[in-house]
Amino acid sequence: MVYARLRVELPKTLWVTRLSEAQPEATMTALSAVAVDDDVVTLLDVEDCNPEAVRTTGSDDPEVDAFEVVVEADDRIVVSYRIRARLYRAAERAGVPPPYPVEIRDGCARLELTTSRAALTTLVHELETAGGTVDVRALSMDDNGPSVLTERQRAVLEAAYERGYYDSPRRCSTAELAASFDVVPSTVSEILRRAERRALGRLLEEP
């Protein structure tokens, strides 16, 4: 079994993606979801938001059916809505039920789960086939087992990711990362190479 922390960039076709990008200060949490025929009904909690904007965009969005407000306050709203179950079915096909609650920010969902290596590989493939983009942020044998990455590898890899080293175009150089960790650029390049190889190797490894 492996423990994984994933960042999933959601398809732009999803209402929740557009909503989270339109209200970047809001905290969105998918509390639960239930499959209904080819659709999925999701219970979504949105905090630090404009409830009227959430209600209006949800009611008017062509991708959303059966939109209903469950709870509404000054800066918080809980809604139930029904959409096509693309990502939900992708997780279902991989044999990995979505680990609710799921936090959503800036068009991305953050997932934490423990499953087999084979199921994790299948989940990543199915999510990307359904239109998502998956980044593996952390990976270890399990909650009690040894980490795939050393603490230093994880720190450098996470800094590189957060600062845009993997963006296109690249927003951060190895020299800038090296300055942050008080090492030379060639050391950062070597740490990243080893970390990437170890993470990918474990992800693709057979059970």
Side-chain angles (χ1 to χ4, degrees):
M1 301 293 283
V2 295
Y3 163 80
R5 182 156 49 90
L6 310 179
R7 177 181 180 274
V8 184
E9 184 177 339
L10 303 173
K12 301 294 185 183
T13 54
L14 294 181
W15 167 67
V16 71
T17 306
R18 298 192 293 274
L19 177 64
S20 67
E21 291 177 341
Q23 300 202 40
E25 300 302 319
T27 299
M28 303 187 185
T29 307
L31 301 174
S32 65
V34 178
V36 180
D37 299 325
D38 293 330
D39 298 340
V40 62
V41 177
T42 301
L43 186 64
L44 182 71
D45 185 0
V46 188
E47 298 182 85
D48 300 322
C49 68
N50 179 339
E52 183 179 355
V54 175
R55 184 174 61 252
T56 301
T57 58
S59 300
D60 295 343
D61 195 287
E63 293 287 321
V64 175
D65 292 322
F67 184 88
E68 180 182 350
V69 176
V70 179
V71 176
E72 183 174 347
D74 290 341
D75 61 353
R76 180 182 182 186
I77 188 169
V78 178
V79 302
S80 171
Y81 66 98
R82 179 170 175 166
I83 60 170
R84 298 287 289 180
R86 299 180 186 91
L87 294 181
Y88 185 92
R89 294 299 186 194
E92 193 176 65
R93 287 193 296 272
V96 183
Y100 293 100
V102 174
E103 179 186 341
I104 302 168
R105 276 185 177 274
D106 297 327
C108 296
R110 275 89 174 159
L111 309 180
E112 293 189 35
L113 63 154
T114 300
T115 187
S116 69
R117 292 191 293 272
L120 179 60
T121 301
T122 302
L123 175 63
V124 171
H125 171 75
E126 291 288 353
L127 288 174
E128 294 197 330
T129 299
T133 301
V134 182
D135 287 319
V136 180
R137 305 301 305 277
L139 194 65
S140 62
M141 286 299 295
D142 56 37
D143 286 326
N144 299 312
S147 175
V148 171
L149 302 178
T150 67
E151 290 185 9
R152 187 172 179 79
Q153 286 172 342
R154 175 175 286 110
V156 175
L157 191 62
E158 289 187 350
Y161 183 87
E162 294 292 346
R163 295 175 62 178
Y165 179 79
Y166 293 104
D167 290 357
S168 181
R170 185 170 287 175
R171 295 188 292 110
C172 178
S173 67
T174 53
E176 291 170 321
L177 288 170
S180 299
F181 290 93
D182 196 25
V183 297
V184 297
S186 60
T187 298
V188 165
S189 296
E190 181 65 14
I191 291 172
L192 289 175
R193 185 186 67 79
R194 290 178 180 272
E196 291 160 2
R197 181 175 179 81
R198 292 184 70 175
L200 288 172
R202 178 56 56 83
L203 177 62
L204 299 174
E205 187 179 5
E206 292 296 327

